[in-house]
Amino acid sequence: MRTLIRNFTFVIALAAGPSLAADRHVITSQDSDYFGFDLRTEQNLSLADCENICLADSACKAFTYNPKVKWCFLKSDFNQVNRFAGAIGGKVVEADSGEQDIGAAPALPFISDQLLSDARVVKQNLELSEDQKTRGFESLKAAGRRELNNSNIDAALLAFRGALAIEPEDADLWIETARAANRILNNTDVAVQASLSALNGYQLTRTTQARADALSVLALALQQSGNARPALDAYKASLALVNARTVRAAYLDLRTREGFRVTEHTIDADSAMPRACVTFSEPLVKLGVDYTPYVSLNGEPPKALEATGSQICVEGLDHGQRYKLALRRGLPSSIADEPLEENVEFDLYVPDRSAMVRFTGDSFVLPSTARRGIPIVSVNTSSANLKLYRIGDRNIAPLMANSQFLTQLDGYSADQISEQNGELVWEGAIDVAPELNKEVVTSFPVDEVLPKRKPGVYVLTAVSATGVSNEWDTRATQWFLVSDIGLATYAGSDGLNVFARSLASAKPMAGIKLSLLAKNNEVLGTATTDVEGRATFTAGLMRGTSAMMPAVISA
């Protein structure tokens, strides 16, 4: 049966030979394999048989013939050609097409999957309106062109879409529809629809010129919808096919405005070693490029330069100095063939550091057996305004539940502590001996401020007396407690074991009273350490949930 069918097909091919030869013929190439688009496979054929079967089948656009096994792999389309020793690749050429068939349109890497999906939906949902159902394809297309000539673009688009509902595989009409939509400016929705029409047209193109036109129309639509980078890529793809003067001009214009360029520059003057950073619109090359030759500082190579991500930062600047930072044309980007187009120069001034105070953050537990002080680091200020708050052990759990414990406080949060969670125990200022732009460390004397210290957690906030401070600004905050008790906890099947040791001697501390508090401040249990400094809270106390979940141990 297979032999009879194959012979019958061959007879049809021979019978139709004269007319087919006038319309379609095959071009073969040695050691070639047309990849993908498999239509079907025919076996035990000669090369001539393979050619004739493909010519006789309007769905066949190409084939790969393996002469060793005499198999003919028919293809519904063609695009990528791979080298395959001994194989013979063939593609069907339409003799009256005027241009060579270049195969199926390749995927565009700069087009998102979502845009491709939307284009398919537009094509699938084409339909005629009620008043279009009595009209034909040519009539609707002609009506669209008349409306376009009269600048009635909306009416033209409606007519074109009606014609496409009749002939959805007409690549030229898809492109014409997109080109018409591109005439409507400052309308993102229309520009997106133009992108979808151009994309549908591109996917149907078979010739170099048509594909280049589709890409240039797609580029303009992407540009008008606010997608500059894909638009540049579409222009490049079009120019790679046909180097049209108008398309190149449009590409260069868009590249100047939206291509690789400097978007901003900043100066980090508040650090001990100030630096200037330049930000670009696209990432820089990650590896293998030395950017130093493209950057100069006062006409000389910078002492230190860092190029990461989309930034180049020049280090080694001095406060109070002026600089001229220059970037040379040709500075490479991660975008192929898109370096910096023009020289860029900046006149920079590095101001003095802003007035600032902060804590070192490493003084949470202060010893109870030695003189105590908290270091305050300041820059360009002669004094700091301080407030000291105390929070009792029974009010720590609510702070933890609200995620405030050990955080940097603003003015409102600090006032809330004095009004709801604790008390303001001291307020004052501390003098500083400033050195211009240098960090100065001053010790805050805890013993002098708290001669009769009560148990609890303390919070010290500081702001510069000479800087601008608002209630909503974050303030330098140091949480601390004064104690010689060091706690370690171990959870197991028997519950929670707590060990207390002296921070001064590391010896176990007996007789320490422990309280286990829940998130809602409920006392879950109490215990006292034994001679080994150990106390145990039973497993049942640890199984609470929600507000009864264990949160704090105080000693």
Side-chain angles (χ1 to χ4, degrees):
M1 179 63 73
R2 178 184 297 276
T3 303
L4 288 174
I5 292 174
R6 184 165 59 248
N7 289 339
F8 179 67
T9 305
F10 182 60
V11 170
I12 292 176
L14 290 179
S19 61
L20 286 172
D23 298 331
R24 311 175 79 212
H25 65 277
V26 173
I27 297 178
T28 59
S29 54
Q30 194 67 35
D31 298 329
S32 300
D33 171 30
Y34 283 100
F35 179 77
F37 301 102
D38 292 322
L39 183 61
R40 67 179 185 275
T41 303
E42 297 286 349
Q43 301 178 16
N44 299 320
L45 297 179
S46 67
L47 177 59
D49 293 342
C50 185
E51 291 183 12
N52 286 322
I53 290 176
C54 186
L55 286 172
D57 189 343
S58 61
C60 182
K61 295 290 193 295
F63 63 83
T64 297
Y65 180 71
N66 189 329
K68 290 185 178 181
V69 296
K70 296 184 178 182
W71 282 22
C72 178
F73 301 90
L74 301 177
K75 311 285 182 176
S76 62
D77 213 328
F78 63 90
N79 185 349
Q80 181 179 345
V81 181
N82 293 336
R83 176 174 172 77
F84 191 96
I88 299 172
K91 66 176 180 178
V92 176
V93 176
E94 303 289 342
D96 60 350
S97 63
E99 283 192 73
Q100 181 181 358
D101 189 336
I102 60 174
L108 300 173
F110 51 86
I111 295 298
S112 67
D113 292 340
Q114 184 61 55
L115 202 63
L116 286 171
S117 176
D118 291 345
R120 285 193 296 269
V121 171
V122 168
K123 188 176 180 181
Q124 292 167 359
N125 293 338
L126 289 169
E127 60 181 5
L128 292 167
S129 61
E130 286 299 323
D131 61 337
Q132 291 176 339
K133 290 181 179 179
T134 58
R135 306 176 66 179
F137 172 74
E138 293 297 337
S139 173
L140 288 168
K141 186 166 66 171
R145 289 172 178 172
R146 285 195 304 272
E147 297 291 354
L148 197 60
N149 289 334
N150 293 326
S151 298
N152 297 325
I153 302 176
D154 289 336
L157 292 175
L158 184 62
F160 284 150
R161 289 174 186 139
L164 285 169
I166 300 173
E167 293 289 347
E169 302 302 314
D170 191 322
D172 292 337
L173 186 53
W174 277 111
I175 298 170
E176 188 173 358
T177 303
R179 187 178 281 113
N182 278 340
R183 291 176 57 175
I184 299 178
L185 305 178
N186 303 319
N187 190 319
T188 302
D189 292 336
V190 173
V192 171
Q193 292 302 313
S195 302
L196 301 178
S197 296
L199 188 54
N200 281 329
Y202 164 80
Q203 293 174 328
L204 295 168
T205 56
R206 307 291 304 186
T207 64
T208 301
Q209 186 62 57
R211 193 162 295 167
D213 290 344
L215 286 166
S216 65
V217 174
L218 174 62
L220 180 56
L222 291 169
Q223 175 182 340
Q224 293 186 166
S225 63
N227 296 293
R229 174 50 54 192
L232 287 168
D233 291 335
Y235 276 129
K236 288 181 184 179
S238 177
L239 291 169
L241 294 170
V242 177
N243 191 9
R245 180 176 56 83
T246 54
V247 176
R248 180 161 293 279
Y251 164 68
L252 293 176
D253 175 66
L254 180 61
R255 176 177 166 177
T256 300
R257 292 182 288 109
E258 299 290 346
F260 179 64
R261 65 200 185 281
V262 174
T263 57
E264 66 172 349
H265 70 281
T266 57
I267 298 175
D268 180 11
D270 285 333
S271 62
M273 298 293 292
R275 66 178 191 167
C277 293
V278 178
T279 303
F280 297 90
S281 60
E282 308 289 344
L284 302 172
V285 181
K286 289 184 178 180
L287 299 172
V289 174
D290 180 11
Y291 281 95
T292 304
Y294 297 95
V295 183
S296 65
L297 191 66
N298 291 341
E300 300 291 335
K303 296 178 181 179
L305 180 146
E306 181 184 29
T308 56
S310 301
Q311 272 194 342
I312 289 180
C313 294
V314 175
E315 302 176 350
L317 308 182
D318 293 321
H319 292 98
Q321 299 297 315
R322 294 187 179 276
Y323 298 91
K324 184 178 288 294
L325 177 64
L327 305 176
R328 188 166 63 82
R329 175 184 179 183
L331 184 148
S333 76
S334 60
I335 307 300
D337 302 322
E338 203 168 310
L340 192 65
E341 283 198 304
E342 302 293 340
N343 295 333
V344 181
E345 293 186 351
F346 303 98
D347 290 320
L348 308 179
Y349 173 71
V350 183
D352 292 330
R353 300 175 72 177
S354 303
M356 178 272 296
V357 294
R358 64 177 177 85
F359 297 104
T360 59
D362 56 0
S363 302
F364 179 68
V365 179
L366 301 180
S368 60
T369 57
R371 183 177 177 84
R372 290 164 291 277
I374 294 178
I376 302 174
V377 182
S378 62
V379 176
N380 291 346
T381 184
S382 58
S383 64
N385 294 329
L386 307 174
K387 289 185 178 182
L388 182 61
Y389 305 87
R390 174 188 168 273
I391 303 171
D393 57 351
R394 290 299 305 276
N395 282 321
I396 296 174
L399 288 177
M400 296 186 68
N402 295 328
S403 301
Q404 286 183 284
F405 189 57
L406 298 182
T407 62
Q408 298 294 298
L409 304 177
D410 56 30
Y412 296 120
S413 300
D415 291 341
Q416 189 178 30
I417 288 178
S418 63
E419 295 172 3
Q420 300 180 15
N421 304 104
E423 60 176 328
L424 177 66
V425 295
W426 182 85
E427 181 177 2
I430 188 170
D431 293 331
V432 177
E435 297 182 44
L436 184 62
N437 296 318
K438 292 184 179 181
E439 293 186 349
V440 177
V441 180
T442 307
S443 179
F444 172 72
V446 176
D447 291 331
E448 295 180 15
V449 172
L450 297 173
K452 296 181 180 180
R453 176 181 52 83
K454 296 180 181 179
V457 172
Y458 289 84
V459 186
L460 180 63
T461 64
V463 294
S464 169
T466 55
V468 178
S469 177
N470 300 300
E471 285 297 310
W472 55 84
D473 292 334
T474 300
R475 301 182 176 187
T477 307
Q478 177 68 61
W479 297 73
F480 70 93
L481 58 84
V482 181
S483 177
D484 188 42
I485 304 173
L487 299 180
T489 62
Y490 300 89
S493 59
D494 60 339
L496 183 70
N497 291 276
V498 182
F499 293 86
R501 288 182 176 271
S502 168
L503 295 177
S505 65
K507 293 181 179 180
M509 300 182 71
I512 300 297
K513 296 179 180 180
L514 305 175
S515 296
L516 179 64
L517 306 179
K519 288 175 63 176
N520 63 2
N521 221 17
E522 184 90 11
V523 178
L524 297 176
T526 60
T528 304
T529 59
D530 57 19
V531 294
E532 295 180 345
R534 175 180 178 177
T536 302
F537 292 97
T538 61
L541 297 176
M542 307 305 298
R543 296 185 184 130
T545 59
S546 300
M548 294 300 290
M549 182 181 298
V552 176
I553 293 177
S554 65

